[in-house]
Amino acid sequence: MPQFIPYHPLAFSAGDQAARAREFYELCSRRRTVREYSSRPIVRELLETLIRTAGTAPSGANKQPWRFVIVTDPAIKHEIRLAVEKEERESYEHRMPQEWLDDLAALGTDWHKEFLEIAPALIVVFSIEYEKEGEITRKNYYVKESVGIAVGFLLAAIHNAGLVSLTHTPSPMNFLQKILDRPANERPFLLIPVGYAAENVVVPDIKRKSLEDIALWK
């Protein structure tokens, strides 16, 4: 039989609810993807707290099908950068259609990824497709959806701590599995450089869609 425990939801007045929602929105609205980092280190305790926050995300059947590999070793970061740039150069020069390249041009990106070595930490997110318990294989459910939600929690936590990040998806990403020595049931999902913004950092002048563009009431 399943076991249950009491849950005590947060309770606020209507005014406090609105204020908290607005404050959180304003916090998140300032989050931006950053590609220029300071080499200033991040204390391990802070990184651990960020990962713990990501681990509170909901998941299919509570399987929690994620693994977060935190890379701070300069040699491993260098190896990852070389592998990423090899795939990215091939993508920019041969794989991506012109429409995709035109969209990326507005963001000022190219295949050079020096930030992978400058950022003090790389968080490599893996999705866990199944678990092995001796001879028994147990399937995980809604893996991509679950890991995606956990990454959302992580990005908000990173921003809330005064750090900056970048969601990077080199394709293909199988080299991350090899470099980081992960088992066959773990697949690379996302590569997230994390750190402090470089001095005088700039970001593309982009706009987010309005509420009317993203929401419908029925």
Side-chain angles (χ1 to χ4, degrees), residues 88-147:
E88 287 289 273
R89 184 169 187 173
E90 182 66 20
S91 292
Y92 272 85
E93 295 182 355
H94 302 291
R95 295 171 181 156
M96 293 178 181
Q98 189 59 47
E99 182 179 6
W100 192 349
L101 293 173
D102 291 342
D103 287 338
L104 290 175
L107 303 178
T109 66
D110 59 29
W111 62 268
H112 298 90
K113 308 298 177 185
E114 61 277 356
F115 53 76
L116 294 175
E117 289 193 81
I118 298 172
L122 305 178
I123 299 177
V124 185
V125 185
F126 287 84
S127 62
I128 303 176
E129 305 298 317
Y130 58 89
E131 303 273 9
K132 294 286 289 187
E133 297 179 7
E135 298 299 317
I136 300 175
T137 298
R138 299 192 182 278
K139 179 182 177 181
N140 290 329
Y141 310 102
Y142 300 104
V143 174
K144 291 182 179 179
E145 295 86 347
S146 299
V147 178

Side-chain angles (χ1 to χ4, degrees), residues 5-144:
I5 59 174
Y7 174 66
H8 303 286
L10 299 175
F12 304 104
S13 68
D16 285 345
Q17 280 182 317
R20 288 171 64 90
R22 183 71 186 182
E23 288 170 4
F24 189 69
Y25 160 70
E26 290 176 352
L27 171 71
C28 291
S29 70
R30 294 183 61 186
R31 190 207 61 79
R32 292 296 303 271
T33 291
V34 171
R35 292 177 172 83
E36 298 176 59
Y37 292 81
S38 162
S39 59
R40 176 183 170 188
I42 307 172
V43 296
R44 177 167 175 157
E45 182 181 6
L46 177 53
L47 289 168
E48 289 176 346
T49 301
L50 299 176
I51 300 302
R52 285 192 177 99
T53 301
T56 67
S59 61
N62 194 38
K63 291 291 187 176
Q64 304 169 57
W66 43 65
R67 183 86 64 221
F68 301 91
V69 180
I70 300 90
V71 181
T72 58
D73 185 313
I76 300 177
K77 289 196 296 178
H78 178 68
E79 187 177 2
I80 289 175
R81 177 188 175 180
L82 294 181
V84 166
E85 290 187 331
K86 178 181 178 182
E87 295 296 344
E88 287 289 273
R89 184 169 187 173
E90 182 66 20
S91 292
Y92 272 85
E93 295 182 355
H94 302 291
R95 295 171 181 156
M96 293 178 181
Q98 189 59 47
E99 182 179 6
W100 192 349
L101 293 173
D102 291 342
D103 287 338
L104 290 175
L107 303 178
T109 66
D110 59 29
W111 62 268
H112 298 90
K113 308 298 177 185
E114 61 277 356
F115 53 76
L116 294 175
E117 289 193 81
I118 298 172
L122 305 178
I123 299 177
V124 185
V125 185
F126 287 84
S127 62
I128 303 176
E129 305 298 317
Y130 58 89
E131 303 273 9
K132 294 286 289 187
E133 297 179 7
E135 298 299 317
I136 300 175
T137 298
R138 299 192 182 278
K139 179 182 177 181
N140 290 329
Y141 310 102
Y142 300 104
V143 174
K144 291 182 179 179

Side-chain angles (χ1 to χ4, degrees), residues 155-166:
L155 295 176
I158 290 170
H159 178 61
N160 183 61
L163 300 171
V164 296
S165 64
L166 163 72

